[in-house]
Amino acid sequence: MPPEPSSANLEVLIPTVDRAAELAVTLAGLAGQDDPPFSVTVSDQSETSTESRAAVNAMIRVLRAQGREVRYLEHRPRLGLAEHRQFLLDQSVADSVLFLDDDVWLEPGMLTRLSDALDTLRCGFVGAAVQGLSYLNDSRPAQREPFEPWGASVRPEVLRRGSPLVKRMTLHNAANLTHLAGELTLDTGSWLAYKIAWVGGCVMFRRRLLVECGGFDFWSTLPAAHVGEDVAAQWRVMERFGGAGILPSGAVHLEAPTTVPDRSTEAGDIVFGPATATWPDDTAPDGSGATYP
């Protein structure tokens, strides 16, 4: 039957550039999802659109045959990652938006877990940090030491470079979350929220709250070549509404080469200023009103 107009409250937003093969795998992962209903918007900054590439086009047809609304937009010139994400955010009207990188495969059931976590926790965002499965035989217990579950609720936190809380970033290295999930006893289909420094590659926001915090509106203050725009946006949301990662993470990084080789500009240094001071070890922020020096 012809698809009906989308009434999905979740929209998956995918920025892409010069990654036809990886994008096809990402779309295939979405085609393997069931609930909740979702739509997809792809924004392509490739010099030659990848929409007509056979594998990409095939997965778009699959999603549409499932009744999903798929929009494929071309957005040039390239003005940087933050501008590209802001463009996608501006296209969306859904209650929830999932920013999904174009080199991430989601295992079946991942959208259900993310949506359930976001609805249950009522925080600003939840994320499934991408896992590099080439590291399955590289267990790093020391990097998993910062792991701390949230419990029943998520509180706002203030994070900046120099804060001890940023040490949580090691949780997302290699395949650390995969090893962590293997050490925990979780019922099938369940999830566990934990404290993060930030989440890369697969993050579901309550759109209204992301917009209230400015989204990626800082893009015009950045040079086109920059990284860390997702971190800056998440930190702004975290300090007002909180954010969490969830286990198990069924987001698999395809481990493709980066499309941003110039990584000399960190967005957070411009949005928040460079880290000129550090938190004393005994006064790290706990979400109770602490401010960064």
Side-chain angles (χ1 to χ4, degrees), residues 221-245:
T221 68
L222 304 174
H226 62 261
V227 294
E229 81 297 335
D230 50 349
V231 179
Q234 288 175 40
W235 282 358
R236 296 205 296 188
V237 174
M238 287 173 72
E239 64 187 45
R240 292 183 59 187
F241 304 109

Side-chain angles (χ1 to χ4, degrees), residues 39-278:
S39 61
V40 180
T41 298
V42 179
S43 177
D44 190 358
Q45 292 193 323
S46 306
E47 288 301 318
T48 301
S49 173
T50 57
E51 182 181 14
S52 61
R53 299 288 291 272
V56 172
N57 203 359
M59 289 302 100
I60 291 174
R61 290 196 299 267
V62 168
L63 286 161
R64 287 174 174 161
Q66 293 173 337
R68 319 287 187 190
E69 179 184 357
V70 180
R71 294 187 295 168
Y72 201 101
L73 310 175
E74 295 186 32
H75 180 59
R76 289 185 291 272
R78 293 178 66 180
L79 299 176
L81 295 167
E83 189 276 341
H84 202 183
R85 293 188 188 277
Q86 183 63 44
F87 170 77
L88 276 164
L89 182 59
D90 290 341
Q91 310 310 305
S92 177
V93 295
D95 293 341
S96 301
V97 292
L98 174 67
F99 276 95
L100 184 64
D101 284 1
D102 62 353
D103 60 346
V104 177
W105 177 82
L106 296 183
E107 71 177 13
M110 195 66 242
L111 288 191
T112 299
R113 293 205 296 272
L114 285 165
S115 296
D116 183 53
L118 190 63
D119 290 343
T120 300
L121 297 170
R122 304 302 297 168
C123 54
F125 69 87
V126 296
V130 296
Q131 299 298 283
L133 297 189
S134 66
Y135 296 90
L136 276 179
N137 295 321
D138 181 4
S139 181
R140 304 179 181 185
Q143 293 188 359
R144 301 196 293 273
E145 288 180 1
F147 177 71
E148 184 179 358
W150 263 117
S153 61
V154 173
R155 299 186 308 276
E157 294 184 296
V158 177
L159 278 88
R160 299 290 188 270
R161 287 179 58 191
S163 164
L165 301 187
V166 175
K167 294 177 182 178
R168 299 170 184 168
M169 64 182 290
T170 63
L171 293 170
H172 297 167
N173 289 347
N176 284 335
L177 291 189
T178 305
H179 293 121
L180 263 173
E183 295 166 358
L184 300 171
T185 302
L186 298 173
D187 294 334
T188 301
S190 67
W191 50 266
L192 177 67
Y194 66 94
K195 299 180 181 182
I196 57 171
W198 65 81
V199 179
C202 178
V203 184
M204 185 179 293
F205 291 90
R206 294 168 66 190
R207 186 184 62 83
R208 177 179 61 82
L209 302 186
L210 176 58
V211 171
E212 279 187 25
C213 294
F216 302 86
D217 62 0
F218 49 80
W219 71 267
S220 61
T221 68
L222 304 174
H226 62 261
V227 294
E229 81 297 335
D230 50 349
V231 179
Q234 288 175 40
W235 282 358
R236 296 205 296 188
V237 174
M238 287 173 72
E239 64 187 45
R240 292 183 59 187
F241 304 109
I246 66 167
L247 283 175
S249 173
V252 177
H253 190 224
L254 302 183
E255 302 183 57
T258 181
T259 57
V260 187
D262 184 351
R263 310 179 74 81
S264 58
T265 298
E266 184 72 35
D269 288 346
I270 296 176
V271 175
F272 303 109
T276 57
T278 59

